[in-house]
Amino acid sequence: MSRKYVIINADEVSSVNFDQVDETSANTVRYSLDGSKTFVKFDSDTTPSFLDGKTQYTHSEILAILETDEWTDPNFPPE
């Protein structure tokens, strides 16, 4: 079993069953800089039904995504 990551739209957070993912609430997820997206992670071989049909990423794939300007401010911390 390996950890999987799924990016969802911010307006889908209300449909997340936090008993089936590693995050504990809408307040503990990380949002994209514009607030339009977030992601959840889970360690099950069975995909939670509310994530069916969504792209799943590995740890290295999600890290590469989170390093983009959409998720990380290139000017932070200020020099």
Side-chain angles (χ1 to χ4, degrees), residues 46 51-52 59 61 68:
T46 304
L51 297 175
D52 279 345
H59 185 251
E61 290 170 332
T68 66

Side-chain angles (χ1 to χ4, degrees), residues 31-46:
Y31 289 90
S32 59
L33 293 180
D34 68 2
S36 67
K37 297 177 186 174
T38 187
F39 68 94
V40 293
K41 55 188 173 289
F42 61 97
D43 290 316
S44 174
D45 287 331
T46 304

